[in-house]
Amino acid sequence: MEVVQLGGGHDPDPLEPAPTTAPETPECPLVLVTWRDAWFDFDEPDPEDVRADYLVRTVGFLVRRGPRFVSVAQEILPDGDGFRAVTHIPVAVVETIVGLRGQDIGDEIDVLAQ
């Protein structure tokens, strides 16, 4: 069995104070996006079976807000390496975008504003 040390291979000094500055990351608001899922099912050809009210909620960092899509990332990578687990949602199906942290808590964000 191999033991892998975290933090660069050495234990932090317990007497040394923890760093007080956060690593640099892009300013991306934490949001809740509610949107109508686009789906197609060959087994439901009857229009009465359509789930028009199928609302999906996605939580993450709003990394892009364009004229056609909003993009929400689950992870912001260190050292400016970008994002991971990004969901791209067409603006046409977005119901609401609500801020979840800081001064944005509970505020609805205009999906069409740039």
Side-chain angles (χ1 to χ4, degrees), residues 10-40:
H10 63 279
D11 291 327
D13 183 350
L15 301 176
E16 185 72 28
T20 57
T21 58
E24 262 189 60
T25 59
E27 189 57 40
C28 301
L30 184 62
V31 296
L32 165 66
V33 181
T34 303
W35 53 285
R36 294 190 180 281
D37 193 17
W39 60 276
F40 183 80

Side-chain angles (χ1 to χ4, degrees), residues 52-74:
D53 61 345
Y54 194 70
L55 293 177
V56 176
R57 292 183 298 250
T58 301
V59 173
F61 299 97
L62 184 62
V63 296
R64 187 176 332 153
R65 185 171 45 182
R68 294 179 40 211
F69 294 91
V70 294
S71 300
V72 179
Q74 298 301 306

